[in-house]
Amino acid sequence: MSSKGRLVLYVGPMFAGKSSHLIKAAAAHERVLALKPGFDTRDGAELVSRDGSHFAAQSVRQWPSQADEYDHIVLDEVQFMVAPHYEGDIVAELQAAKLRGAIVTVGGLDSDYRQQPFEIVSKLMQFADDIIHLEARCHTCNDPARWTAKTHETGRLLETGDQELYEARCNAHWCLPEKP
Ligand SMILES: [Zn+2]
């Protein structure tokens, strides 16, 4: 067992630049396995950030067998890697990769649009060696924002979307969406 493995976790609301940080982490190494959840069909086989950067990534619904060959693994949108969209225990799999010596860099939403924690991200926070909390800018007042709000209720907790469905909000301006 190597001692150099690390789990680095970027958390925050939508629009906080998580993907941009992950793409920078991926681009800093020559051999990197970049992963995204199969559930997230936006942007095809790439991690894409809103600042225009991108990095080739595999969409996965289970842990890829070739992951053991990589010393650097980058994974975005980890909150979507839950049943029935993902077959396996992503927390245990990332932890195992770290323990065999890989540098694992993960991004995810810490809270859903109801201000409730994504359990899988809470669990990862327990094992992470570094946790970087990113903030967005409040859609209403431009203050630092740590919450994601939905612009209208769709009845779905796990749902990909962009500015047509989600906004970053500060403490004062976060609210639940109105019922349809
Ligand atoms: Zn605000």
Side-chain angles (χ1 to χ4, degrees), residues 5 11 39 41 76 79 98 121 135 141 172:
V11 294
F39 177 78
T41 54
D76 203 1
Q79 75 278 355
K98 164 189 153 174
V121 179
E135 288 180 324
C141 72

Side-chain angles (χ1 to χ4, degrees), residues 153-173:
E153 186 56 87
T154 61
R156 287 192 290 268
L157 185 58
L158 287 184
E159 184 169 23
T160 59
D162 214 313
Q163 291 165 42
E164 80 292 348
L165 185 58
Y166 293 106
E167 291 175 354
R169 300 280 183 89
C170 69
N171 286 332
H173 289 118

Side-chain angles (χ1 to χ4, degrees), residues 142-155:
N142 210 40
D143 273 0
R146 61 161 294 191
W147 305 112
T148 304
K150 228 171 193 172
T151 56
H152 53 276
E153 186 56 87
T154 61

Side-chain angles (χ1 to χ4, degrees), residues 70-133:
Y70 288 83
D71 290 335
H72 292 95
I73 297 171
V74 171
L75 189 156
D76 203 1
E77 306 282 5
V78 69
Q79 75 278 355
F80 291 136
M81 294 177 130
V82 292
H85 309 294
Y86 186 83
E87 191 186 319
D89 180 344
I90 189 65
V91 176
E93 288 154 347
L94 292 170
Q95 177 77 344
K98 164 189 153 174
L99 290 178
R100 70 162 172 77
I103 309 291
V104 181
T105 309
V106 180
L109 295 172
D110 45 353
S111 303
D112 65 25
Y113 72 95
R114 307 164 310 168
Q115 289 184 320
Q116 299 303 304
F118 278 111
E119 193 190 342
I120 203 155
V121 179
S122 300
K123 279 188 188 170
L124 272 178
M125 288 170 90
Q126 212 174 320
F127 293 114
D129 299 288
D130 297 305
I131 301 175
I132 299 99
H133 290 268

Side-chain angles (χ1 to χ4, degrees), residues 17-23 43 46-55 76:
K18 294 187 296 297
S19 298
S20 174
H21 280 86
L22 293 180
I23 290 164
D43 307 319
E46 285 195 314
L47 304 183
V48 175
S49 79
R50 289 177 182 81
D51 67 14
S53 58
H54 51 94
F55 195 90
D76 203 1

